[in-house]
Amino acid sequence: MSDANSATPASLPIKDHVGLRLALRDANLPTLLMVYVTFTQDRVYLDRFAPYLAAAYAADAPSNVPDTMAQDLRDRLFALLTHELPPLVRPLDPEFLRHMMSVSVGENVDPGLIPVLYDQMGFEPPVPRKCIPGRPTPPSDFDVIVIGGGMSGIAAGIKLSEANYSYTIIEKNAELGGTWWENRYPGVGVDTPSHFYSYSFELNPEWSHYHPKGQEIQDYLVGVADRHGVRSNVLFETRVTGAIWDDVSAKWIVKLRHKDGTTSERAASTVLLAHGVLNRWSMPKIPGLETFAGPKMHTAGWDTSVDLKGKRVAVIGTGASAAQLAPAIADEVSHLTIFQRSKHWVLNNPDINVNVNDNVRFALREIPHYKEWFRFRVYWFSGDGLYGNVKVEPDWPNQNVSISAQNDAVRNYALQYIQTKLASRPDLIEKIVPDYPIFGKRIVLDADGGWLDTLVKPNVTLETRGIDHIEKDAVVLKNGTRVEVDVLALATGFEIAKVAGDLEIVGKGGCRIQEDWGEDDPYSYLGVMAPGYPNFFFVLGPNSAPNHAAGVNMVIEAQINWMVETLDMMVAGEARKVEPTIKAYDAWNAKVAAQMSQMIWAHPKAKSYYLNSAGRNIISCPFRLADYWKWTRHPAREDLTLS
């Protein structure tokens, strides 16, 4: 393990003693402990805290750290951070680092996770590839087209630039940001904690919320892009309509349609499909929807000019978007009717609406290693630490309601929260509690003032009777009841199964990806490539989404790393084409299928948008984030055909 403390002395000593005292008072104590031990490497002192730090959802959770111990830690850290002489810089031994992590989270951390955790904490800024001695320089005519300028496209642009590859991002909107530029509905935000939902190479100590709202995420992404000079490589307000492989020139001919309706073509050595999975709206197939006379809008196409005050509003859907939208508008509308199509587990997360106070931001900004160790805790409790929730324990009893000890503990935690919140409304408990194990499909995160509190408001109705059709001023139920509404809000999600969307992608010998995959049956190698489509890469391709936890940003970084590593392999070998072998493609999909059979998504009651029409899970990655990260560090030469 390389030296984690190399950049520390420049920021010490901390001169603002008042600010530091307040930061130490409000900061997360296990994270402060990790900061202190990073400097001192005092194992005896570290182990004094171990009995008081518990794993999440532990049934026998010990008491909090005693006040005297907590204050002693703060005093020691204050003295260390304000001393005129910076603490001695020493590298961290990997095994000691693992022990520190284990104490921090109150459970054993697998040694195999150390490399990914160290990388994702952001302890060590990555060295740009173009600065690596002896690395071959990419040819001047080797260029990359990136389709999409959201979180994936921005990261791709940064990493391609660091590797000296010429690139152009094709973005259909007038600004970068993708999902976070488009989604502007009231209450829009992310259910991944902000200190993890960010690039590992661009940790942000200034988040105002632990779960930021949409505009703040948008500002972060655009800020990162501008700091790295991405904007100058973007072609805005232009859509990619297709890409055709030319085997003679070893180039993709990418077809473009511009804002004014004109079309053009560009040739590129490589194409990266980074248009995301949350930008093709799924419109409900309800008879009469087109006849509705009032405003109707998908949450991803929200019309901010529509005034909801005093209106009768119908929200169709009860997933994550609806659970954000409803609390944001319930007090403004005259009546809110929420039409439930399927049940979702609701999990209490008290931080979902909590601001990060100034003192904690001081700690994140000024205390060396604090933001990195804080990110580690967030990763653990919202990332691979949750893997036990979705991995079936074969001998676990009563698998009708839960699939493992960890899954059962979280189910009970959620059930207790629902029953407490809705104690006065047993009818709502019956309506919303699912009959499938928790995490069988995407959960809804909630907190005080959120989703469940909204459902019990006097002007809110949760309607579970099926919709028959829609008329110009009403939603009509199957029993004939007319629910008169003024505005329709469609929180009905996205077309996830069509990974390539409507793009016409034609590979070698005229093979077409739409024909290979059909309407909803995509396969890939490692979630990043498919045989027959040389030099064509996916971000968040089939079976690479981290549906057991947060971490889409981590998968994005891993896949872009694999792409750039593969391009470097091509350049070093003077190859013009690369694609996975059929053998590797088949082996990967067999591996995915075998592991998927052991996951919660194979449970007979777990029906969700992760599944295609044949019941196959085409979205979820059935492996830990750390495993996937490890497999995408370097391409396996034997799995690829270079020519």
Side-chain angles (χ1 to χ4, degrees):
M1 188 66 62
S2 60
D3 180 10
N5 306 318
S6 58
T8 297
S11 57
L12 293 177
I14 294 176
K15 302 295 187 181
D16 184 353
H17 291 190
V18 174
L20 178 58
R21 285 289 190 193
L22 293 172
L24 293 173
R25 182 196 69 188
D26 290 355
N28 176 265
L29 198 71
T31 304
L32 293 178
L33 177 64
M34 294 304 106
V35 171
Y36 179 75
V37 177
T38 297
F39 285 122
T40 66
Q41 300 193 24
D42 187 339
R43 183 168 186 142
V44 173
Y45 189 75
L46 170 68
D47 288 346
R48 285 175 54 191
F49 287 80
Y52 302 100
L53 301 178
Y57 309 113
D60 54 347
S63 61
N64 293 328
V65 174
D67 291 342
T68 53
M69 288 179 63
Q71 191 56 48
D72 178 70
L73 171 61
R74 295 186 182 103
D75 291 342
R76 287 171 177 244
L77 199 48
F78 180 87
L80 184 148
L81 297 174
T82 57
H83 198 279
E84 291 182 1
L85 296 177
L88 182 66
V89 175
R90 290 182 293 167
L92 288 167
D93 175 76
E95 176 52 33
F96 184 63
L97 181 66
R98 187 194 71 81
H99 182 63
M100 290 173 65
M101 292 176 174
S102 298
V103 172
S104 172
V105 297
E107 55 187 305
N108 183 60
V109 173
D110 183 344
L113 298 179
I114 298 304
V116 62
L117 294 175
Y118 189 81
D119 172 82
Q120 281 296 309
M121 280 192 294
F123 257 147
E124 193 170 328
V127 176
R129 289 175 186 269
K130 59 189 173 188
C131 299
I132 298 174
R135 175 178 173 268
T137 302
S140 58
D141 65 343
F142 194 103
D143 48 359
V144 182
I145 281 184
V146 179
I147 304 174
M151 176 175 268
S152 302
I154 292 169
I158 292 169
K159 293 305 173 182
L160 286 166
S161 178
E162 288 180 354
N164 250 349
Y165 286 100
S166 173
Y167 74 94
T168 301
I169 295 174
I170 311 298
E171 171 53 52
K172 70 179 188 298
N173 295 321
E175 179 56 283
L176 294 165
T179 291
W180 301 110
W181 187 85
E182 294 175 356
N183 282 263
R184 304 178 186 185
Y185 61 86
V188 61
V190 64
D191 49 15
T192 299
S194 53
H195 296 89
F196 184 36
Y197 190 80
S198 50
Y199 301 124
S200 65
F201 54 88
E202 277 280 359
L203 270 59
N204 176 23
E206 302 297 342
W207 291 113
S208 66
H209 290 74
Y210 288 105
H211 290 258
K213 300 304 180 186
Q215 187 59 52
E216 189 169 10
I217 305 167
Q218 169 69 5
D219 292 344
Y220 165 79
L221 292 174
V222 170
V224 170
D226 287 343
R227 280 194 294 278
H228 288 268
V230 172
R231 187 176 298 276
S232 61
N233 296 81
V234 182
L235 188 59
F236 287 106
E237 297 184 291
T238 302
R239 286 181 178 271
V240 175
T241 59
I244 301 174
W245 173 253
D246 178 30
D247 207 49
V248 175
S249 64
K251 295 275 189 178
W252 283 95
I253 309 304
V254 180
K255 298 181 177 183
L256 308 176
R257 186 172 70 246
H258 305 281
K259 181 182 180 181
D260 61 4
T262 61
T263 60
S264 64
E265 294 181 348
R266 284 199 178 198
S269 304
T270 298
V271 174
L272 173 62
L273 184 59
H275 65 179
V277 295
L278 301 180
N279 66 6
R280 295 172 295 282
W281 309 348
S282 176
M283 301 297 286
K285 297 177 175 58
I286 303 174
L289 178 61
E290 71 285 354
T291 69
F292 185 72
K296 59 176 181 289
M297 44 200 173
H298 194 280
T299 49
W302 195 264
D303 185 349
T304 56
S305 69
V306 175
D307 183 6
L308 301 181
K309 188 174 182 179
K311 300 287 176 53
R312 299 166 299 180
V313 178
V315 174
I316 298 178
T318 50
S321 297
Q324 292 176 344
L325 172 64
I329 65 174
D331 292 338
E332 180 182 2
V333 304
S334 65
H335 197 88
L336 179 64
T337 305
I338 303 169
F339 293 89
Q340 178 174 280
R341 301 189 300 169
S342 59
K343 298 180 179 181
H344 297 263
W345 277 103
V346 180
L347 192 63
N348 178 31
N349 182 345
D351 287 340
I352 198 77
N353 293 319
V354 175
N355 294 342
V356 183
N357 72 32
D358 290 341
N359 299 330
V360 173
R361 284 203 295 273
F362 182 101
L364 288 159
R365 183 176 60 251
E366 303 293 342
I367 297 178
H369 309 317
Y370 185 87
K371 67 179 182 295
E372 291 85 1
W373 276 111
F374 189 78
R375 182 179 171 94
F376 159 69
R377 284 184 62 81
V378 175
Y379 163 86
W380 188 260
F381 292 123
S382 64
D384 279 337
L386 301 178
Y387 190 70
N389 285 322
V390 297
K391 178 72 166 59
V392 175
E393 291 180 13
D395 298 328
W396 180 253
N398 197 17
Q399 294 206 8
N400 192 47
V401 296
S402 61
I403 52 94
S404 69
Q406 183 174 340
N407 180 271
D408 194 62
V410 180
R411 179 186 185 276
N412 290 332
Y413 174 79
L415 196 57
Q416 181 182 34
Y417 175 72
I418 294 169
Q419 291 172 340
T420 300
K421 278 286 185 182
L422 303 180
S424 64
R425 293 288 304 275
D427 60 310
L428 286 177
I429 296 175
E430 184 178 352
K431 282 182 176 181
I432 74 164
V433 173
D435 64 351
Y436 57 86
I438 192 169
F439 291 102
K441 60 182 175 182
R442 186 175 177 180
I443 61 172
V444 168
L445 292 182
D446 194 37
D448 287 345
W451 176 238
L452 296 188
D453 286 339
T454 298
L455 294 183
V456 300
K457 289 178 181 286
N459 69 326
V460 176
T461 301
L462 180 66
E463 183 57 73
T464 58
R465 294 174 292 182
I467 298 173
D468 184 77
H469 66 278
I470 292 175
E471 298 177 352
K472 67 177 183 177
D473 60 351
V475 177
V476 182
L477 306 182
K478 291 188 181 298
N479 67 356
T481 301
R482 294 182 82 257
V483 180
E484 295 186 352
V485 295
D486 303 307
V487 180
L488 278 181
L490 308 175
T492 49
F494 302 87
E495 291 186 356
I496 304 292
K498 295 182 70 173
V499 176
D502 295 324
L503 299 182
E504 179 192 30
I505 300 173
V506 183
K508 289 193 318 183
C511 62
R512 296 174 179 270
I513 211 161
Q514 299 284 23
E515 294 177 3
D516 290 349
W517 287 351
E519 280 297 309
D520 65 353
D521 200 28
Y523 287 89
S524 69
Y525 165 72
L526 209 59
V528 292
M529 289 193 92
Y533 301 88
N535 304 7
F536 197 101
F537 299 86
F538 315 121
V539 175
L540 298 176
N543 292 117
S544 66
N547 292 138
H548 71 280
V552 66
N553 52 296
M554 186 172 162
V555 172
I556 287 168
E557 287 187 31
Q559 292 178 330
I560 291 168
N561 173 80
W562 190 91
M563 177 190 70
V564 177
E565 285 270 328
T566 302
L567 297 183
D568 282 357
M569 181 187 292
M570 292 174 63
V571 171
E574 298 184 350
R576 302 176 68 199
K577 294 178 279 189
V578 64
E579 61 181 299
T581 66
I582 295 295
K583 179 181 178 182
Y585 168 82
D586 288 342
W588 169 254
N589 285 295
K591 183 176 182 177
V592 168
Q595 186 71 11
M596 196 70 76
S597 68
Q598 305 173 48
M599 308 304 289
I600 193 170
W601 306 301
H603 193 281
K605 290 184 177 180
K607 307 297 183 185
S608 72
Y609 66 79
Y610 303 156
L611 310 182
N612 68 1
S613 56
R616 182 174 76 85
N617 189 323
I618 58 174
I619 303 297
S620 307
C621 179
F623 308 104
R624 296 182 305 180
L625 287 163
D627 296 323
Y628 189 80
W629 178 91
K630 179 175 64 177
W631 297 329
T632 51
R633 285 301 84 199
H634 306 288
R637 176 63 183 84
E638 65 275 14
D639 287 356
L640 301 173
T641 298
L642 278 77
S643 57

